[in-house]
């Protein structure tokens, strides 16, 4: 499973954009992860707030998700200096 956090703090889980940005919205979107014993890959825009990323971590914790990884990109991979 993957969760993307964009620069404005909006979320997408498995490619589906979430309408809300609350901890509850994230918790609902990640609810099936405990049953699946899945890993969560968090991809956060470099301009996303720390709080937005912490919200994903907290929602994962609330759902019993312990396998979490972060994806990073070098600036050259994004086309930005």
């Amino acid at each position: 499973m993957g969760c993307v956090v964009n620069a404005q703090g909006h979320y997408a889980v498995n490619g589906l954009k979430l309408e809300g940005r609350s901890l509850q919205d994230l918790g609902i979107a990640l609810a099936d992860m405990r049953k699946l014993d899945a890993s969560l890959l968090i991809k956060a825009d470099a301009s996303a707030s720390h709080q937005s990323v912490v919200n994903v971590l907290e929602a994962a914790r609330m759902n019993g998700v312990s396998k979490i990884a972060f994806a990073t990109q070098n600036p050259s991979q994004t086309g930005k200096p």
Side-chain angles (χ1 to χ4, degrees):
M1 275 190 109
C3 183
V4 175
V5 184
N6 73 12
Q8 292 76 33
H10 295 277
Y11 303 101
V13 175
N14 288 338
L16 299 173
K17 183 179 175 185
L18 298 185
E19 292 299 319
R21 293 193 274 174
S22 73
L23 191 56
Q24 287 180 330
D25 296 322
L26 281 165
I28 291 167
L30 299 176
D32 289 337
M33 289 193 68
R34 181 183 301 173
K35 296 176 204 167
L36 301 173
D37 193 31
S39 297
L40 176 64
L41 177 63
I42 301 172
K43 298 178 189 179
D45 185 284
S47 298
S49 73
H50 286 83
Q51 187 61 55
S52 296
V53 177
V54 168
N55 287 348
V56 177
L57 292 170
E58 180 63 11
R61 184 196 63 78
M62 289 174 17
N63 281 290
V65 178
S66 59
K67 299 175 190 173
I68 301 172
F70 290 90
T72 60
Q73 287 183 315
N74 293 327
S76 61
Q77 292 174 315
T78 63
K80 296 177 184 176

